[in-house]
Amino acid sequence: MDHRIHQISHHPLSLKHNKTQIKTESSTSFKDVLQEVVGIKISKHAQKRLAERNIEIAEESWTKLQKKMIEAKGKGIIDSLVVMDQAALIVNTKNQTVITAMDREEANSQIFTNINGTILL
């Protein structure tokens, strides 16, 4: 009788490595769809500026801004100046993020660089 352990080449509990790839037909990434559903993100810097400057933006203005950011992104605009009645914002349309905020009086004396579009609301 042979008391040695023999390796079994095909063990019922062995894992098979099937490498299958799922190809998607859509050119839209999940991240893009998620950001459109979730809405606009506000950076910590922008949150701080909005609080310091007592800038309050109505919900309907955020909704309009979100639609315009999607439209601007479709036209190839990445970083944009947004001019509103009560504030001026710098936004990144690619990430759907408000980068910074200032009130309109402060914005009048500023020079804005590294933007490739403007959204007027």
Side-chain angles (χ1 to χ4, degrees):
M1 183 178 238
D2 190 10
H3 296 296
R4 288 181 269 163
I5 299 174
H6 298 285
Q7 278 188 313
I8 300 173
S9 63
H10 181 68
H11 191 274
L13 295 178
S14 66
L15 299 174
K16 294 182 181 180
H17 298 288
N18 293 335
K19 294 183 180 180
T20 57
Q21 294 180 347
I22 300 172
K23 295 183 180 180
T24 58
E25 302 273 334
S26 175
S27 63
T28 308
S29 72
F30 176 74
K31 182 180 175 183
D32 291 338
V33 172
L34 182 64
Q35 283 184 348
E36 287 180 23
V37 172
V38 171
I40 299 172
K41 293 182 273 183
I42 302 173
S43 71
K44 288 181 182 181
H45 175 78
Q47 288 175 352
K48 184 178 177 183
R49 296 293 179 250
L50 288 167
E52 285 176 352
R53 296 166 177 152
N54 295 322
I55 300 170
E56 293 184 21
I57 299 174
E59 190 71 32
E60 61 224 20
S61 294
W62 286 116
T63 304
K64 286 180 187 177
L65 175 58
Q66 180 183 14
K67 289 176 184 175
K68 289 294 185 181
M69 285 175 70
I70 292 168
E71 185 180 332
K73 181 180 177 181
K75 294 183 179 197
I77 296 171
I78 297 171
D79 293 310
S80 179
L81 169 66
V82 178
V83 180
M84 306 172 97
D85 291 336
Q86 66 278 29
L89 312 171
I90 301 294
V91 298
N92 181 287
T93 60
K94 184 177 178 182
N95 299 326
Q96 293 268 329
T97 304
V98 177
I99 299 168
T100 193
M102 62 197 77
D103 60 28
R104 284 293 300 268
E105 287 183 26
E106 184 181 5
N108 287 337
S109 64
Q110 297 294 320
I111 295 174
F112 300 97
T113 60
N114 297 328
I115 61 169
N116 61 348
T118 302
I119 300 172
L120 300 173
L121 293 180

